[in-house]
Amino acid sequence: MYIDNIATATPLIYGDFSSNKVGINTNHLPNNVGGANTSAYGLYVRGGILTEEVRVRTGWADYVFDKNYELLSIHEVERFIAKNGHLPNVPSATQVENQGIELGDITRIQQEKIEELTLYIIKIQKQVDALEAKMNK
């Protein structure tokens, strides 16, 4: 299916009924982008998307507050960064540039890091409180 004002190789809307896929500003419906399998996606927009809202249903990062969650020490995080050039459990810049990243995944990962930072701050505050108490004695 092609929808446009004139015959063109890059129609405004292109649809492939056999695969239930739609393309906007293209008739190319890629099955992979930078090595990432995109064959399950039903919409491809060439040139980007502008919208007022995107809602993503995904898992959330409250597992960080589970008593069995293994929070790395700051020294372990520092060593990981020195070796890998990015935070643990965060994709590298190269990986994101080559494969992209799912919006829900990066949102969860960023929330994980926010929650970990909160735990580090709580730990530091306890240390400060203990040192203040010791100094006041």
Side-chain angles (χ1 to χ4, degrees), residues 106-123:
I106 194 59
T107 302
R108 179 191 46 77
I109 290 167
Q110 289 172 338
Q111 186 64 29
E112 174 185 287
K113 297 306 155 195
I114 291 167
E115 292 181 6
E116 288 176 347
L117 287 170
T118 301
L119 292 176
Y120 290 125
I121 291 168
I122 290 169
K123 182 178 180 179

Side-chain angles (χ1 to χ4, degrees), residues 6-110:
I6 59 171
T8 178
T10 56
L12 174 64
I13 299 174
Y14 169 77
D16 181 348
F17 291 107
S18 66
S19 65
N20 291 324
K21 293 185 178 194
V22 175
I24 297 178
N25 290 330
T26 185
N27 64 352
H28 175 67
L29 304 173
N31 286 321
N32 63 62
V33 174
N37 184 346
T38 59
S39 62
Y41 293 87
L43 175 65
Y44 177 71
V45 179
R46 183 170 176 247
I49 299 172
L50 175 63
T51 183
E52 293 184 14
E53 181 179 337
V54 174
R55 182 173 298 266
V56 178
R57 293 182 66 189
T58 187
W60 205 233
D62 285 349
Y63 52 81
V64 170
F65 298 130
D66 185 282
K67 64 182 177 186
N68 296 320
Y69 183 75
E70 293 187 31
L71 183 67
L72 297 176
S73 74
I74 288 293
H75 299 296
E76 290 171 312
V77 173
E78 180 182 29
R79 284 191 293 273
F80 185 93
I81 292 169
K83 180 180 178 184
N84 299 287
H86 60 89
L87 288 169
N89 200 32
V90 174
S92 69
T94 301
Q95 182 181 351
V96 174
E97 288 166 9
N98 290 337
Q99 298 178 1
I101 189 163
E102 292 182 12
L103 184 59
D105 284 345
I106 194 59
T107 302
R108 179 191 46 77
I109 290 167
Q110 289 172 338

